[in-house]
Structure formats: C-alpha cells, structure tokens
Amino acid sequence: MRITTAEIKHGDCLDVLREYADNTFDLIVTSPPYADRRKHTYGGVPPEKYVDWFLPRSEQFLRVLKPTGTFILNIKEKAENGERHTFVIELILALRRQGWLWTEEFIWHKKNCYPGKWPNRFRDAWERCLQFNKTRRFKMRQEAVMVPMGDWKETRMKSLGKNDVIRFNSQVGSGFGKNIANWLYREMAYPTNVLHLATECSNKRHSAAFPEALPEWFIKLFTDEGDWVLDPFVGSGTTCAVALRLGRNSVGIELVREYVELARQSIEPATATLFETPTNHAPDQR
Ligand SMILES: C[S@@+](CC[C@H](N)C(=O)[O-])C[C@H]1O[C@@H](n2cnc3c(N)ncnc32)[C@H](O)[C@@H]1O
C-alpha cells in the first residue's frame, strides 16, 4: 500500500520543470492559455507570438516525458477579422520540427453548448485535443475507455446483410474494410476520437476549468495506477484532483498565485487517500 501524491507548484512551467529529471512523467495533459482569449483574467500571448512562447516550454515537456508517454494539448484557435487564426496549425508544425510525433487529434464536442448568434459563423461547439508522442510505442489502455454498444446492438446488428458477415472492403478504393459481424453479441465497443462531454464543471472560480471527464478519459487511456501525470498549466487543479482520485501521482504548475491556492484546495480532500497501487518511483528532483 502506498500514498498517491499530488503537488501544486507555483511559477512559470518553463522554470519549474527545470527541477525535474528527464523521462519523469507518463502523461502530460493540459490546456494552456489560448493566445490572448482570456487576457483580462489570466493574461495571454498574442497569437502571432504564440509559437515562439510555447516552444521553450514544450522543449521541457519533451524532456520530462517518458519515451512511452503521451502529451495531450487542449487548444482552440479563435476567429479574428473574419478568419480563423492559424497559430494552432503553425504550432503543430513547429512541434513536429521540435521532435514530437503528432499522433492523433481528438475532438472535444461540448455537447451542452448554448446557442449564440454571429453574422458570419455559428457558435463554436468543439475544441482540439491534440495528441503528441516521443515515440510510436506509447502506452495506451484502450480497454479502459470502452463504451456500451448502444442502439447499434438493437438496430443495425439485428439486420446483417451478406456484406456484413465477411470482411467487406471499401468500394471507393480507400483501402479500408470492415467486418460488422465481429461486433455481434458484444456489450462494449471502442470509442471514436470524438469526445462528447458537457462543459459544466463544479469549479466556478476559474473561468476555463476542465470538466473532470476530460482529463479523466485521457488519464485512463494513457496511464496505469501509480503512474505520473503532469499539468503544466493546471489552473484550478482539475487534472491533479482527477489523477489523485484515479490513483495516479501528479504535479500541477500554475503561474497565478490565486489559482495555486484554488488548485491546492481542489486536491486537499483527496490528498490523504490511500490507494493500493504498484510503487512507481517518485520523480527525481534535480
Ligand atoms: C486554460 S487555463 C487551465 C485551466 C485548467 N485546465 C483547469 O481545469 O482549471 C490556463 C492556466 O495556465 C496558467 N498559466 C499561464 N501561463 C503559465 C505559465 N507560463 N506557467 C504555468 N501556468 C501558466 C493561467 O494562469 C491559467 O490558470
């Protein structure tokens, strides 16, 4: 039996991460400031300068992530002067040049998004969750996020045609194929890369807090109990609170003193919880 820890550090993640040894963390899951979208609450970086601001920090993320680890970056570009800004696209390309593999893009569909009106576009109801890795052999626990088969089981699976019971190759030459019958009699299926999660969150004292289900999904998918999770822009501490609840160790870093206190409060109720987990080594501090 061991105690799972969560620690909230105050400072710029660029400086704080220099205290940590190479290859320390199994998962980095974070939502940095989205350029200058919240400049009145916790500041921001102009979109034109975003890549230059981000790269020294992601260089540290690359160093402290284990070769089997994953980096999930939740971000969304805003529209300005009638166009979507390109800084996220530029950031993806720059991260690839820095040595990251851009493995996947998950879409977080904010399913409770309320209606709005703009003259030339509809309301944003999704954000990117970009997945980056150091190597192609990263840890992934797909069974941990399986979902019920749902309506499919009662409808589509009850009326299989002749092309459903064999491997049926795509008719448009895409090279893809499927065998629907493989999923007969199963209760659970693998999810897609679209996460349908409500934005609601219990923490109203931070303007951009994650819904707990978001870090929870990635923590279950990319870590085991006793592993180490990092959120370098931890805000109100959601990632660390969830990591602790799931029996993972975590470190959160936050620049704004007020949010550091908030994050520490969010992990307090769970800090002393005991988990029966395998003993993984605590991160070496330099
Ligand atoms: C989008 S919010 C994160 C919210 C968080 N996911 C939550 O659930 O509360 C980004 C946070 O990063 C913090 N921040 C901005 N620059 C930072 C830096 N260089 N190092 C650490 N934290 C920073 C901001 O103060 C803000 O609280």
Side-chain angles (χ1 to χ4, degrees):
M1 184 161 316
R2 61 186 294 279
I3 294 178
T4 305
T5 64
E7 198 178 4
I8 306 295
K9 298 253 184 174
H10 181 209
D12 186 331
C13 56
L14 177 65
D15 306 320
V16 175
L17 282 176
R18 292 202 178 100
E19 298 167 17
Y20 289 85
D22 298 356
N23 307 324
T24 297
F25 294 98
D26 298 277
L27 173 67
I28 301 172
V29 57
T30 199
S31 170
Y34 298 1
D36 51 6
R37 213 158 75 168
R38 310 242 177 199
K39 62 183 165 205
H40 301 301
T41 43
Y42 51 72
V45 186
E48 317 69 66
K49 297 191 177 153
Y50 201 82
V51 173
D52 288 344
W53 175 80
F54 200 86
L55 284 184
R57 291 166 180 83
S58 54
E59 191 179 16
Q60 289 299 315
F61 306 164
L62 189 62
R63 187 182 65 72
V64 298
L65 188 69
K66 290 180 186 167
T68 49
T70 289
F71 168 32
I72 297 293
L73 177 61
N74 166 225
I75 197 162
K76 175 74 187 210
E77 57 275 61
K78 64 177 181 178
E80 207 172 52
N81 299 326
E83 269 196 292
R84 284 283 170 193
H85 207 284
T86 57
F87 79 89
V88 175
I89 294 166
E90 287 154 25
L91 180 62
I92 294 169
L93 298 175
L95 287 172
R96 290 188 73 242
R97 285 193 293 275
Q98 192 173 51
W100 293 96
L101 302 172
W102 180 30
T103 318
E104 179 57 299
E105 174 166 45
F106 295 90
I107 297 298
W108 166 22
H109 164 221
K110 300 169 170 186
K111 65 178 185 176
N112 60 339
C113 192
Y114 50 86
K117 178 167 184 332
W118 281 260
N120 56 354
R121 65 187 66 244
F122 294 121
R123 190 176 172 78
D124 257 337
W126 63 274
E127 295 192 6
R128 301 167 185 275
C129 292
L130 302 167
Q131 179 189 342
F132 296 94
N133 292 92
K134 278 171 95 157
T135 68
R136 287 184 171 75
R137 297 172 62 147
F138 53 89
K139 181 188 281 192
M140 191 178 195
R141 307 295 187 221
Q142 297 189 352
E143 280 65 28
V145 294
M146 287 184 91
V147 290
M149 284 290 283
D151 293 348
W152 259 62
K153 202 163 163 252
E154 302 307 322
T155 55
R156 179 79 171 84
M157 299 306 262
K158 286 265 163 79
S159 55
L160 295 184
K162 67 177 174 20
N163 291 333
D164 292 328
V165 293
I166 53 166
R167 182 178 163 84
F168 187 64
N169 289 325
S170 160
Q171 299 299 284
V172 293
S174 67
F176 290 103
K178 56 184 183 309
N179 186 344
I180 302 277
N182 274 345
W183 296 94
L184 257 183
Y185 312 119
R186 296 206 197 187
E187 293 299 323
M188 303 293 276
Y190 294 102
T192 67
N193 55 7
V194 180
L195 311 182
H196 303 277
L197 304 175
T199 51
E200 79 217 37
C201 60
S202 52
N203 202 330
K204 305 279 185 250
R205 287 161 65 197
H206 193 290
S207 62
F210 278 149
E212 290 202 357
L214 189 76
E216 178 165 345
W217 198 80
F218 290 112
I219 290 170
K220 285 179 175 167
L221 182 57
F222 293 118
T223 66
D224 294 312
E225 286 189 359
D227 279 357
W228 283 87
V229 177
L230 167 69
D231 188 339
F233 304 97
V234 80
S236 62
T238 319
T239 302
C240 292
V242 173
L244 203 51
R245 173 162 59 73
L246 297 175
R248 276 68 166 172
N249 300 288
S250 63
V251 173
I253 306 171
E254 173 54 49
L255 190 61
V256 177
R257 167 57 76 189
E258 183 194 337
Y259 298 145
V260 171
E261 297 311 325
L262 196 57
R264 286 184 179 152
Q265 285 165 22
S266 76
I267 59 169
E268 236 166 43
T271 304
T273 309
L274 292 175
F275 292 95
E276 276 189 71
T277 55
T279 306
N280 291 9
H281 294 297
D284 295 332
Q285 304 249 323
R286 288 181 160 177

